[in-house]
Amino acid sequence: MKKIAVLTSGGDSPGMNAASRAVTKLAAAKGTQVLGALEGYEGLIDGAFRELTHVSSDGAIVIDGEVDTAGNQGGTLIGSARSLRFREKEGRAKAFAQLQARGLEGLVVIGGNGSLTGAHAFATEFGVKVMGIPGSIDNDIGCTATALGVDTALNTIVEACDRISDTARAHRRAFVVEVMGRDCGYLAMASAIAMAADAVLIRERGKTEAQLVEDIAGVISTGYSRGKRRILIIKAEGITVPCTRLVKLTEERMRPELPTVEIRATVLGHVVRGGAPSYQDRAVAGRLGFSAVTALLEGATDEMVGWLPPTPGGLATADSSVLRFPLDRVLTETASLIDGSSPVTKRRLALMEKASGVLAL
Ligand code: F6P
């Protein structure tokens, strides 16, 4: 392939830049030029590209200095968007025409569920050679143990909760801290264990508002009765009852028994999505980017490269920690992760059930 495109799509995640850098470097090393589509699929449809490589005076293909620098930064240099137009076949046809007009022979898509769904449609409808790289802080993508951004997001949550714990202990307060993750409770579960939080509230358990209030009240009274100064409850974004409402209802429920109870709500929100990528996100990005371009140049299409997937199968790559999976399998497994039927989700929940009695101690 003489020329390929790369794009980042959906919610940005730390490590997307590192993956774009790896894709560009490997392609350049193989003599392939790279264009970055700006704002994800939107740039593909509108023909808005940035040259990520150029040809030097001695004829070598070299990487844009900014792509190199951005590899160590959060966000995404080439921009991202959730493209409504690309969900329609008409939008995808426009994007295909743009690829053809520029002689672009392959595409690397870095993103989450929606982005990989678009990549699959593009590959099957138009025969475009497409490779996906999982990028989303939510960790809700099938066929991969982690997606780019998850590790950095967890480090950010842990740091924020350390700070909250300091002030909580000073005032002997309880905190309900909401973390992102859309419908997936992974960030909440993983950070709750790392923080030795008192409880974790996740959508996957299917509790009602009243049950959640009882659970929060229960861990607070147990914690205080044992002399704890900090009660930390991590709530996943997937639980749609707002933090402030849960706090208000729990305070009302507890006041008769504990008139001085003080609970605070903190929503970490987009703070969790920004920041320089951790070592792990950079390393995984580099290795996924390498394998994605290698596979693309070998003619692979309609696949995603996954990091140490827990499920057997897949075509081996030169990197033993990276496996290639057909996108339709990735999308099926992603759906089952979210609806709870996946063995991975069941394993996570079973582990949390076992941990919940210990967390509250
Ligand atoms: O998918 C990543 C994510 O950060 C989710 O955790 C969150 O629900 C959503 O994106 C927020 O999207 P937006 O930035 O469009 O508000």
Side-chain angles (χ1 to χ4, degrees), residues 10-13 82 112-113 135-140 179-184 187 237-238 269-270 272-273:
D12 59 287
S13 65
R82 294 194 170 91
N113 188 12
S136 165
I137 61 165
D138 301 340
N139 216 18
D140 59 352
V179 300
M180 271 192 172
R182 202 180 285 277
D183 291 327
C184 179
L187 288 181
E237 180 191 13
H270 289 78
V272 169
R273 219 163 76 187

Side-chain angles (χ1 to χ4, degrees), residues 17-27 63 285-290 293:
N17 277 326
S20 303
R21 173 174 65 183
V23 163
T24 308
K25 277 200 169 188
L26 186 72
I63 169 172
R287 291 168 70 176
L288 292 181
F290 180 97
V293 175

